[in-house]
Amino acid sequence: MSSNYQSKKLDKKQKRCVAIIQNECKIEPVADGISKYVAILNAGLSTGLTEELVLETVEKFGKITRLLMLPNKSYCFMECSSTEDAQNIVQNMNGISKIGQKEAVVYLSYFDSLPQAEDSNWLKPLPKGLVILNDFVTEEEEKLLLDVIKMDNVEVDAALKHRRVKHFGYEFIYGKNNVDPHKPLTNKIPQKCDALWPRLESISKSCNYDFDWYVPDQLTVNSYEPGQGIPPHVDTHSAFLDPILSLSLESDVVLEFRKGLEKRSVLLPRRSLLVMSGEARYDWTHGITPRVLDVVMTANGNLSTRRRSKRTSLTFRRLRRAPCNCNFPLLCDTKLEALKRTESTIESEKAALLEEKNVHNVYDHIAEHFSETRHSPWPQVADFLKSFPQSSILLDVGCGNGKYLNCNPNLLNIGCDRSSGLLKVCSSLNYQTFRCDCIHVPVRSNSVDGCISIAVIHHLATKERRLMAIKELARILRPSGQGLIYVWAKDQNANNKKSSYLRQNKSVNKQKATEEQQRQQTQQQLEEKAKEAPVSLPVHTNRTEFLQQDVLVPWKVKNASAQQSEAEKSTFLRYYHVFEENELESLIGEVNDIKLVKSYYDQGNHCVIFEKLSKSL
Amino acid sequence: MKLSTYNFLTSKAIKGVKVGYPLKLTIAKKDVVETEFNPTFIERLLPKLDWNTVYLAAQTVDLADDIPQEQPAAVADNEELLQRLHHLLLEIDVLEGQLECPETGRVFPITDGIPNMLLNEDEV
Ligand SMILES: [Zn+2]
């Protein structure tokens, strides 16, 4: 009975594995039959299976023509030479063999075909400007280099996830990701390295490699234990010249390159020299995933795993001592700094023009689609509206499609907006509105009990104009009347809670939105479009954190007609001034006849409730 | 535009205008939209309105006979008056027409029920 129970349990487990494969790979098991396609159900790349082990075990029982191992999967597939081979393999291994797995035995099942393999990023061309020179140093040289570097007496660095690091020539300061060229270290690059440079020069000449190079003056040595890695990064543009050289000692490792959505895995063999120049150096990030096993492509073109051992990398660089002049702006710290300096320098003469072109015109174009996407009122705004007694006069300045004009039907709700497109939407819903801008509200002073300004003031391009808008709200309020303002926050992550704006970005959920991942395929096109704006401003990448306060935010119109499918035609750039913490409160402080009642952070916005003082009557 | 909304509009933002209120309303086309009568709502609304402009609105739509020129002291018991005010302020909808600044004569058109109060940069 117990053995029957055992076999039933196994049967159940096997069925569950088959169902997973059916679902994930869209292939069908061959019920009661035999085929030459066999799946190993519970061992694969994710459980550390190697091509070598599979071949060694399987070929005792039959011949296979193809082994297919999929990344991150705990199963793999074989195409056998014949159904006889397949049958023999299954009979001898199913529920018996362990193929080097520590715990359970493996299960095998027949399938009708092999799954469609995804386009492996191993098969795509390497990033431009990336060269790997195999066997760049001999084993003897490897030993000599390790001796002079003396990593053993370097303390582990907790801040660097316990990776050991040592600098020669100049210290690389991790906090600011730069070097101080005025503080050379007494520890220069060891002379043992000198032999490498004539070698590199002669190879680059004989192979016609397309990189200029300089004898390095800075060396960072990293010592990685198996399981350690380094997050995706780009070597700071302004800190170092092109190219970056990296010598791998003691172990192979897989380096992951990323550029926007593009990904490449590159195997760095032990004793090879990696040369990153041009695009590979400036426009791709590189990093090492912290893990013990790497997935690599074998000479047969199959994926397999490789166990890491301790690895030491020598990264040789040459200080730039000047701003970067590269042609790859997206990851360029020099370019980014320049963008930050353009902040708060929007001239007042251009502010109105910028708002006209990159706010009002855009809203008129997108009114319909915008309105479709804005139907549910934010709860805390609705709560504010419900706090007023019956017959209170409520003015919504910048009412958009009027979604707040029926939150509390006990009020006399009036809305106004600059966009006639949005006002038409209000009109169709029988809401009371008029057209005006928010710095000249045509309403008599001291006349309304409440006013709200939701997502409006961040469209004004100078501090002066933002202040004028708040003064208008203060002017129209009657004494003891209250106003509520929402503006977009630069920090979309306050209280460690991602705003829904960020949450909607699934990829950001998966991996932290670092500056380096803030790229999209359309970015370049949008940068072009941004040149049409009256003021030169950076284009924000949607659903990522803001890098600057004054930005152009793309609005993509969905269901655009076929001719409009290019990003250029269907994407509009809206101007935003996103608010720093306390910036809104300090504006309120500059207005005489109101006092701050409450300020809070809600849905990625900075929000204030303020009250008109009684004495101002 | 309902006549309750009209009660709040001013042209004071125009450069040089001192009061800019009330605006001169001319109606080319209007509609009457019946809405539920709530006497308390109207009673509580009245203190928030400018009575002169309420009366002016009544004159414009030929209902001046229904509304007293001076604001009555107590209206709570005068349901008939509240009903007339309800009709005047909340049911009459001006679809086409114009508002005019009393000091400069600047005209603000009303189109499809929406007054366009937008001023040019050089007017403010
Ligand atoms: Zn650069």
Side-chain angles (χ1 to χ4, degrees):
Chain A
M1 181 187 162
S2 129
S3 92
N4 190 16
Y5 169 76
Q6 282 290 349
S7 94
K8 264 190 186 161
K9 199 172 149 190
L10 292 182
D11 206 37
K12 222 171 162 183
K13 212 169 165 188
Q14 185 154 9
K15 274 187 183 147
R16 207 158 49 223
C17 293
V18 168
I20 291 171
I21 292 177
Q22 257 180 299
N23 180 37
E24 292 185 351
C25 301
K26 312 291 173 215
I27 53 174
E28 293 302 315
V30 179
D32 309 321
I34 297 166
S35 89
K36 57 179 189 170
Y37 304 109
V38 174
I40 299 177
L41 300 176
N42 53 341
L45 289 178
S46 75
T47 68
L49 199 61
T50 64
E51 183 190 40
E52 228 177 339
L53 266 171
V54 177
L55 293 178
E56 194 181 291
T57 319
V58 169
E59 299 218 307
K60 283 185 218 154
F61 309 111
K63 280 214 157 15
I64 66 172
T65 51
R66 208 177 151 203
L67 174 64
L68 180 59
M69 301 176 84
L70 304 174
N72 304 316
K73 295 299 174 204
S74 60
Y75 46 76
C76 60
F77 300 91
M78 302 176 281
E79 182 179 345
C80 304
S81 300
S82 65
T83 50
E84 288 75 36
D85 286 288
Q87 204 170 3
N88 216 13
I89 290 168
V90 171
Q91 271 168 9
N92 284 288
M93 289 179 63
N94 186 27
I96 302 162
S97 176
K98 289 192 175 177
I99 329 186
Q101 306 290 293
K102 274 189 197 108
E103 290 117 43
V105 293
V106 295
Y107 308 114
L108 284 77
S109 284
Y110 299 108
F111 277 84
D112 64 350
S113 59
L114 292 180
Q116 210 71 38
E118 272 178 59
D119 252 359
S120 163
N121 72 58
W122 290 92
L123 298 173
K124 293 176 186 157
L126 291 180
K128 232 177 133 197
L130 190 148
V131 175
I132 295 164
L133 304 173
N134 287 325
D135 297 310
F136 190 74
V137 294
T138 63
E139 282 180 41
E140 247 161 69
E141 285 172 318
E142 178 184 39
K143 208 164 163 292
L144 283 172
L145 286 171
L146 289 168
D147 281 348
V148 296
I149 286 159
K150 292 196 201 69
M151 286 305 280
D152 299 337
N153 53 18
V154 175
E155 300 220 345
V156 298
D157 192 324
L160 298 175
K161 297 259 160 63
H162 305 287
R163 183 170 101 220
R164 285 172 211 267
V165 181
K166 191 169 178 178
H167 304 286
F168 297 85
Y170 294 86
E171 187 187 356
F172 185 78
I173 306 152
Y174 286 95
K176 51 179 204 165
N177 282 328
N178 215 320
V179 285
D180 185 345
H182 305 297
K183 285 186 188 160
L185 298 171
T186 47
N187 237 0
K188 301 291 168 215
I189 297 181
Q191 283 187 344
K192 282 273 183 297
C193 301
D194 291 353
L196 304 176
W197 316 131
R199 188 176 306 167
L200 178 60
E201 180 150 37
S202 78
I203 294 175
S204 72
K205 267 193 190 138
S206 66
C207 300
N208 273 322
Y209 285 129
D210 186 24
F211 57 80
D212 295 327
W213 69 280
Y214 309 84
V215 173
D217 56 6
Q218 198 272 343
L219 164 62
T220 297
V221 183
N222 279 282
S223 178
Y224 300 89
E225 296 297 327
Q228 295 182 335
I230 186 167
H233 65 280
V234 66
D235 288 53
T236 311
H237 285 203
S238 66
F240 306 110
L241 289 169
D242 183 347
I244 310 281
L245 308 169
S246 185
L247 188 63
S248 295
L249 302 180
E250 295 183 282
S251 171
D252 300 350
V253 79
V254 171
L255 198 59
E256 309 282 357
F257 281 83
R258 284 193 177 81
K259 180 182 172 180
L261 303 171
E262 296 271 308
K263 201 183 147 190
R264 301 282 188 281
S265 301
V266 177
L267 177 69
L268 304 182
R270 176 179 178 181
R271 294 188 291 104
S272 69
L273 183 74
L274 165 74
V275 183
M276 291 183 288
S277 70
E279 195 181 308
R281 182 258 180 274
Y282 290 119
D283 219 19
W284 290 75
T285 66
H286 54 275
I288 297 171
T289 311
R291 59 187 174 205
V292 179
L293 291 166
D294 273 323
V295 174
V296 297
M297 179 165 273
T298 66
N300 313 330
N302 293 330
L303 292 183
S304 184
T305 58
R306 188 168 301 192
R307 191 165 290 275
R308 285 185 196 165
S309 47
K310 184 187 160 198
R311 171 176 174 267
T312 301
S313 78
L314 279 62
T315 304
F316 295 98
R317 303 177 281 206
R318 172 88 171 201
L319 264 57
R320 182 182 293 273
R321 300 167 194 275
C324 178
N325 58 354
C326 74
N327 293 319
F328 304 93
L330 290 177
L331 298 182
C332 185
D333 60 309
T334 299
K335 176 95 188 288
L336 205 67
E337 276 307 310
L339 281 179
K340 281 181 182 164
R341 277 197 302 275
T342 66
E343 275 189 13
S344 72
T345 55
I346 296 173
E347 301 149 49
S348 16
E349 312 88 76
K350 287 190 179 161
L353 191 62
L354 175 66
E355 291 164 19
E356 174 72 34
K357 204 162 185 283
N358 290 84
V359 181
H360 312 316
N361 286 355
V362 173
Y363 277 106
D364 274 335
H365 274 105
I366 68 175
E368 210 169 303
H369 178 233
F370 176 83
S371 181
E372 282 165 21
T373 62
R374 297 287 188 282
H375 18 72
S376 47
W378 280 326
Q380 298 203 60
V381 178
D383 288 347
F384 177 78
L385 295 172
K386 285 170 191 156
S387 72
F388 288 90
Q390 190 186 36
S391 305
S392 296
I393 314 294
L394 187 283
L395 184 69
D396 183 350
V397 180
C399 64
N401 64 351
K403 71 171 172 174
Y404 292 113
L405 293 178
N406 65 346
C407 271
N408 184 352
N410 285 322
L411 310 182
L412 188 79
N413 292 297
I414 305 174
C416 59
D417 205 283
R418 168 74 201 234
S419 160
S420 48
L422 288 167
L423 290 174
K424 272 183 200 142
V425 177
C426 291
S427 213
S428 69
L429 298 164
N430 288 321
Y431 297 148
Q432 280 301 292
T433 60
F434 52 88
R435 184 170 182 221
C436 67
D437 68 42
C438 66
I439 52 182
H440 305 105
V441 180
V443 166
R444 54 191 166 88
S445 304
N446 302 305
S447 69
V448 304
D449 299 288
C451 58
I452 61 174
S453 161
I454 309 300
V456 174
I457 291 173
H458 55 214
H459 285 313
L460 297 171
T462 63
K463 185 201 158 187
E464 199 188 4
R465 293 168 76 82
R466 295 188 280 273
L467 193 59
M468 278 167 82
I470 298 177
K471 284 182 175 166
E472 271 299 80
L473 298 175
R475 180 186 64 78
I476 62 174
L477 276 181
R478 60 174 66 231
S480 305
Q482 287 199 338
L484 172 69
I485 300 175
Y486 268 53
V487 288
W488 225 2
K490 178 162 182 276
D491 180 5
Q492 288 291 305
N493 255 322
N495 318 330
N496 283 323
K497 255 175 75 182
K498 284 198 175 75
S499 73
S500 68
Y501 178 72
L502 284 185
R503 277 202 311 275
Q504 286 175 35
N505 184 344
K506 292 188 186 101
S507 70
V508 170
N509 265 344
K510 279 185 195 154
Q511 45 189 182
K512 230 177 87 198
T514 64
E515 292 180 17
E516 288 151 20
Q517 284 155 345
Q518 291 211 2
R519 298 187 291 189
Q520 289 185 331
Q521 288 153 320
T522 57
Q523 189 77 3
Q524 216 77 56
Q525 269 173 293
L526 293 174
E527 301 272 357
E528 279 301 308
K529 206 175 169 69
K531 288 181 189 152
E532 296 163 15
V535 181
S536 161
L537 290 171
V539 177
H540 172 62
T541 302
N542 277 338
R543 315 258 169 247
T544 62
E545 285 162 52
F546 290 102
L547 302 179
Q548 297 89 14
Q549 273 198 279
D550 290 294
V551 290
L552 297 171
V553 177
W555 175 278
K556 216 163 176 208
V557 175
K558 302 224 172 82
N559 310 323
S561 66
Q563 296 99 312
Q564 282 195 323
S565 61
E566 305 150 54
E568 267 186 88
K569 286 178 184 166
S570 55
T571 303
F572 295 91
L573 295 173
R574 279 183 300 168
Y575 165 78
Y576 275 88
H577 171 86
V578 289
F579 277 62
E580 296 280 12
E581 204 179 343
N582 289 322
E583 186 179 344
L584 184 56
E585 288 87 335
S586 94
L587 284 180
I588 295 288
E590 286 186 47
V591 182
N592 283 329
D593 42 4
I594 53 173
K595 69 168 185 202
L596 185 67
V597 174
K598 184 184 169 190
S599 74
Y600 59 100
Y601 179 90
D602 181 28
Q603 320 259 2
N605 295 283
H606 290 304
C607 323
V608 291
I609 295 177
F610 58 93
E611 187 175 306
K612 178 105 167 230
L613 300 174
S614 307
K615 63 176 185 207
S616 58
L617 239 186
Chain B
M1 181 192 72
K2 294 194 175 154
L3 295 175
S4 49
T5 302
Y6 165 63
N7 201 279
F8 290 91
L9 296 178
T10 159
S11 58
K12 184 157 186 310
I14 299 176
K15 211 189 300 173
V17 168
K18 289 199 176 66
V19 184
Y21 185 85
L23 300 172
K24 187 172 174 239
L25 170 63
T26 313
I27 299 173
K29 185 181 166 195
K30 65 176 194 291
D31 199 3
V32 174
V33 185
E34 259 183 63
T35 60
E36 201 189 327
F37 172 51
N38 179 341
T40 331
F41 183 90
I42 296 293
E43 185 201 335
R44 291 186 182 170
L45 181 65
L46 291 181
K48 301 174 188 296
L49 301 180
D50 181 287
W51 187 267
N52 286 333
T53 309
V54 172
Y55 186 72
L56 188 65
Q59 287 180 308
T60 314
V61 292
D62 295 325
L63 291 173
D65 293 344
D66 290 359
I67 311 285
Q69 190 163 3
E70 298 295 320
Q71 182 163 14
V75 286
D77 299 328
N78 192 345
E79 177 133 345
E80 202 192 332
L81 178 58
L82 288 173
Q83 178 91 55
R84 286 181 193 153
L85 286 165
H86 167 80
H87 174 71
L88 175 71
L89 298 169
L90 301 180
E91 294 192 325
I92 295 174
D93 197 3
V94 181
L95 297 179
E96 307 289 331
Q98 65 175 52
L99 295 162
E100 192 184 314
C101 170
E103 292 165 51
T104 65
R106 160 71 145 94
V107 165
F108 302 94
I110 302 169
T111 317
D112 293 327
I114 305 168
N116 183 359
M117 307 299 292
L118 196 59
L119 294 165
N120 298 323
E121 283 285 310
D122 56 5
E123 293 178 282
V124 295

